[in-house]
Structures are given as C-alpha cells and as structure tokens.
Amino acid sequence: MATRKQFTEAEHAALYNKYRPKADSKVLDKVINYLKEKKKTLNVAVDVACGSGQGTVGLAPHFKKVIGYDISTAQINEGRRTTKAENVEYDVADAENIPLPDNSVDLVTCSQAAHWFDFGAFFREVDRILTPNGVLAVYSRGDYVLVHQDADVGKELTKIYKECTWKTLAAYWNDPVHATRQNGYVDLDIPYPDFERVTMECQLDLTLTRLAGFISSFTAYQRFHRENPNDDIFTPLHARFLQALNVQTLPEETIVTTSCPISMMIGRKPDTNL
Ligand SMILES: C[S@@+](CC[C@H](N)C(=O)[O-])C[C@H]1O[C@@H](n2cnc3c(N)ncnc32)[C@H](O)[C@@H]1O
C-alpha cells in the first residue's frame, strides 16, 4: 500500500512532530464523555497510526496506560523522544495487525490516518481488541480556513492559503485517499449499532512561521520539495499574508487564526454479556 512509504524519513517525522497540532480539547472531551457513558474504569487506550503522538498524549490523564502504534519507525522514535507522560508507550505496528490480546482495550482512537488503511481489516482488529462497551473514535481535520475580525481580510487570507496548499502543491496531492478525508469520512463506517457522526469546528492561533511549518509537514509539500529543492514558496507566502493583514511585523510574531471542521465517527462495541 502507498501508506508504507509515508513519513518514513526522520527529517519529515521531526517536522511533523514540531508543527502538527495535538488533539483539540473538544475532541478529547467528546471521546472521553462518550466512553464514560458506559464505562466507569478506564484502563487501556490505544492510538492507532499515532504519528509522533498528536492524538496520543491527551489521553494520558484519563487512562492507566496509553499505547501509540504507527508503521513508521521515524514517527515512533519522535513520539518516544518527546513524550513526557510516564503511562504512554509507543511501538511500531500496523493498523490491520495490532499486537494486543482480544478484549483488552477500552478505547481505540485514530486521528488523521484512517483514510490510509484497509478500513475493513482495521475495524476487525479493533473489534477483536476492544472490551464490551469499548469505543472506537476515528477523526480527521478538514481544510483550514483563516478567520479574521474583518471578514474580507479573512477571505483574502484563506484565498492565499488555498492557493499555496492546493494550486502550488496541486500536482503533489496524488493519493486518492485525500478525497475520503476531505469528504469527512462519509465513505467509511463503524458498523456498531451505537454509532454517531459528529462535526466540530476547532480554532487554533498560529504564527505565520508555524503555519508555514504546518504546510511543510504535508506529504504533498515533501514531494514538491524533493523535486524542487531550491524553490522557496514560504517567503512570498509570508509577504502576501502580511500585505493582506496590512502589517509590517515579522512572520514569527504575526498571529493568524485558523479554523477547521473535525469530522469524527464514534461507535461502541456492544456488550453481549448482558
Ligand atoms: C497524517 S499522519 C497522522 C498522525 C497523527 N495521528 C496525527 O493526528 O497527526 C498518518 C500516520 O498514519 C501512519 N500510517 C499510515 N498507514 C498506516 C497503517 N496501515 N498502520 C499504521 N500506521 C499507518 C503513518 O505512518 C503516519 O504517521
């Protein structure tokens, strides 16, 4: 599968770790509250395709043990290097072959990655390892828009951002799976009777430097950069943003507000012991 070639380089994993956002508190609240509706004691959570722990570390305060799995050794090394919580561990494993016993996990999460999987095989593994009333939460961000108190400025900032991420990088988004993510996972399904689809709007303030760093962590940008190592797309991008904002500050001290939908599928394994 194409997935096995993604995020394998240490340099890309380090960029990923530096610039990809951690799970939003709205996402964590939804997942934990849903799980607690039918489970009082939370023992083990597993974050599949965890990257370097973006959705993993926020689970730590709620569980005795949290395990992050990813097929990329480089991502796992970054997670181990930078995670401080003592109840979090990381290991290399495939989403379709999770190295845990049957009925041993209260929660499985998957952030920003399920579009890369054989989803049917992944779901069968999840169903095998979840305890009765255990929960699977699969979520992903849609595209950023930039918001501003002056709506026209917000529109202009968004236009500049989209021109960079979609037009400049257009030829490098060549994995069909991105459509599944952009469609908010409507193509995927968790076949449990107790199941919800939720969309949440999440905002994040970023400096222009961090926004450029976020773009640089895209697989599409990494491909573009390999083919065009001398092309600097970020200096003109910063200049356009500063002009639209009508400010003369430095990119590292200029803050913009990003907003994006997070689409989540959340489902509970039936308790057949009842
Ligand atoms: C876009 S990153 C998401 C990382 C992190 N969960 C986040 O929220 O930012 C996708 C991750 O999925 C991993 N991945 C892709 N296919 C996988 C598979 N079949 N099994 C396990 N991990 C996989 C990649 O190595 C990569 O780290």
Side-chain angles (χ1 to χ4, degrees), residues 112 140-145 181-182 184 214 259-263:
Q112 210 64 24
S140 190
R141 277 187 298 276
D143 289 339
Y144 278 179
V145 296
R181 178 188 63 76
Q182 277 193 292
F214 175 67
S259 180
C260 77
I262 296 193
S263 303

Side-chain angles (χ1 to χ4, degrees), residues 3 7 16 49-51 54 70-71 75 93-96 111-112 117:
T3 62
F7 309 103
Y16 202 95
C50 63
Q54 285 68 23
D70 198 284
I71 44 164
Q75 293 273 49
D94 202 314
E96 297 88 354
S111 157
Q112 210 64 24
F117 304 163

